[in-house]
Amino acid sequence: MSSESSLAAQRLYNDPRVAQAKELLLAAVADHQKELADVREPNPALASDYKVMLDQFSQHRGGSTFFPYLGSGIGNGSYVEIADGSVKLDMITGIGVHGYGHSHPLIVEAGIDAAISDTVMQGNLQQNTNSCDLSKLLVDTACETGAELKHCFLTTSGAMANENSLKMAFQHNHPANRVIAFSHCFAGRTLALAQVTDKAKYRVGLPDTIAVDYIPFFDQNAPQRSTEIAVSHLKYHIDRHPGKHAALWMELIQGEGGYYPGDQKFFEALIEVARENNIAVIADEVQTFCRTTRAYAFQHFGLDKLVDIVTIGKFSQLCATLFTDEYAPKPGLISQTFTGSTGAIFASHAMLKGMIDNGHFGNNGKNMQLHNHFVEGLNRVADKHPGAISGPYGIGGMVALTPFDGSADVATDMVRRLYDHGLMSFMAGGAPSRVRFLMPLGCVTEQDIDAACDIIEAVVVAMA
Ligand SMILES: Cc1ncc(COP(=O)(O)O)c(C=O)c1O
């Protein structure tokens, strides 16, 4: 017997009945998802039951959901069926999570593999071989062009990955106890991360935890000047609190802040100062992972040799903190009962591998082609309806527009109207407020993007 088949698990996964069952299940999903190929209105016959269910859910969770959305459990790529009978074109994907859209065969198959695995969850004490496979893929991909991020700690949320990264930076740089972050950054919602996140509203009623000093982000309209200003702010904070900063916290593309990318020279200038002062360089890639020309945005910006700790989330299904030898935590600092569900681990591996194998990365990879197609569509709408929407439109798989005057009310109104017309989006940014799209890069087609632009145009006309 070969070592390949010496384990019962291998024999199970190679069992022809499993292959047959998979085929049947995938065929059933394919048959039923076929009908979900276009936007559809809610079914009036389901309206009253749906409303009861939504009201009950709102009551149970202690507040209503932003959209009246409860998915039925099936979709077709960029399209998803809602339990009110409607079909929506999903260009927000749970804020960047469903990177292969809905009911994609790759994900269904990963789910079947997970379903016949022995446990639902994996954690620090007991992990399966697929946790090793995933960690290896994440680390190998990260180190491909020179980064030293040799380690990867899996976890269940972006906030937890970020929390772990902060702990590593603080422990390594003890007794430094401050963080430097960009204005308008979003880092998550734990007590520590609510302090890093530059939004007072998200801290109402919370005690102060860590001290954070803010520096301005890159301005595309004034690259050199904005770099000089950010560097001088950074030096000012370091001079004011010498030896007190443990980490420079960086979103390389501001996500919640409004979809504004930074720039290689800008980051390099800041990192140079941080390194001179032994400050850990952390890239928060929870929203950017898999959305630029490379799997990691730090690679897109050529910062391979300059990052100490990198966090990922959303698209990656489960989350992770990658770190160099230098920042390895001492025993006891980081541990978790759950590092991820078996389903998320299988899906994460399949999705990242799928993105690599299917040509999504590279300067002219699918991510950038899809971005360019979206931008062309938005430009068409902007040209036909002057003053209705404007850029900049973001980068790669992170697309945003400013509607009309960019007020928060107008952006929220647009997002709600888009939903009613069948297109899912969400807000981002403050001044101006923007409407953002996180398309399902793994499956979205140019036709889907054209359909989204048609809906945007219809809504713009209705709002004018
Ligand atoms: C840049 C960034 N960091 C951290 C988080 C927090 O991730 P999670 O909601 O999974 O805790 C988010 C979520 O939007 C994010 O965009």
Side-chain angles (χ1 to χ4, degrees), residues 100-429:
Y100 269 76
H102 299 267
S103 304
H104 191 284
L106 194 75
I107 308 305
V108 175
E109 204 177 334
I112 298 169
D113 285 336
I116 60 167
S117 184
D118 62 333
T119 58
V120 173
M121 302 300 288
Q122 300 189 25
N124 269 355
L125 203 59
Q126 291 175 279
Q127 318 204 34
N128 289 358
T129 54
N130 26 58
S131 284
C132 307
D133 297 342
L134 177 60
S135 300
K136 180 169 168 22
L137 181 62
L138 291 172
V139 165
D140 286 353
T141 307
C143 294
E144 226 164 40
T145 35
E148 294 283 333
L149 298 160
K150 291 188 209 152
H151 313 283
C152 163
F153 187 88
L154 303 178
T155 186
T156 45
S157 73
M160 216 41 235
N162 283 351
E163 191 80 15
N164 288 340
S165 73
L166 273 183
K167 287 167 88 177
M168 291 174 196
F170 280 128
Q171 185 178 67
H172 181 272
N173 292 333
H174 182 79
N177 59 1
R178 304 180 75 87
V179 170
I180 297 172
F182 292 126
S183 305
H184 310 304
C185 74
F186 181 87
R189 293 177 195 265
T190 62
L191 281 174
L193 295 167
Q195 295 296 324
V196 177
T197 294
D198 186 21
K199 195 149 184 177
K201 195 173 150 190
Y202 296 168
R203 287 197 291 271
V204 173
L206 302 185
D208 288 346
T209 49
I210 49 176
V212 186
D213 298 307
Y214 293 97
I215 59 176
F217 194 65
F218 181 67
D219 179 355
Q220 276 176 326
N221 298 318
Q224 203 180 330
R225 181 91 190 103
S226 60
T227 304
E228 286 162 8
I229 291 173
V231 169
S232 84
H233 274 66
L234 177 61
K235 288 183 174 166
Y236 168 82
H237 291 307
I238 293 172
D239 287 348
R240 192 142 195 225
H241 303 283
K244 284 293 189 188
H245 291 103
L248 171 61
W249 186 270
M250 302 202 302
E251 256 181 288
L252 305 177
I253 300 163
Q254 292 217 300
E256 306 304 297
Y259 283 26
Y260 299 110
D263 159 272
Q264 180 168 6
K265 287 207 177 83
F266 172 77
F267 294 126
E268 283 173 352
L270 292 171
I271 292 172
E272 190 184 333
V273 179
R275 298 211 137 196
E276 282 163 8
N277 290 278
N278 301 317
I279 297 171
V281 176
I282 305 181
D284 174 350
E285 296 219 23
V286 170
Q287 196 155 160
T288 52
F289 183 66
C290 273
R291 294 202 171 267
T292 63
T293 59
R294 301 290 303 277
Y296 295 87
F298 76 78
Q299 299 171 319
H300 172 93
F301 290 107
L303 307 175
D304 301 70
K305 306 267 188 207
L306 302 177
V307 284
D308 298 307
I309 306 177
V310 172
T311 59
I312 59 166
K314 293 184 185 280
F315 198 108
S316 53
Q317 306 301 290
L318 78 176
C319 304
T321 309
L322 292 99
F323 51 97
T324 57
D325 278 338
E326 195 187 343
Y327 281 90
K330 294 192 170 68
L333 189 76
I334 309 278
S335 182
Q336 272 172 229
T337 306
F338 299 153
T339 48
S341 72
T342 305
I345 293 165
F346 271 107
S348 181
H349 193 280
M351 285 168 70
L352 176 54
K353 197 156 176 327
M355 294 292 284
I356 295 168
D357 293 349
N358 292 320
H360 280 270
F361 303 123
N363 291 342
N364 193 31
K366 276 193 193 156
N367 282 3
M368 295 316 279
Q369 289 170 20
L370 292 164
H371 173 86
N372 293 340
H373 193 77
F374 211 147
V375 167
E376 279 164 25
L378 293 175
N379 277 334
R380 263 197 306 277
V381 177
D383 289 347
K384 268 174 85 180
H385 307 277
I389 65 168
S390 55
Y393 295 123
I395 181 170
M398 298 172 73
V399 174
L401 59 87
T402 304
F404 298 93
D405 64 358
S407 68
D409 286 349
V410 166
T412 308
D413 183 33
M414 184 166 190
V415 166
R416 291 203 182 280
R417 286 180 191 242
L418 288 172
Y419 184 84
D420 292 339
H421 279 70
L423 174 62
M424 295 197 69
S425 64
F426 201 50
M427 295 82 65

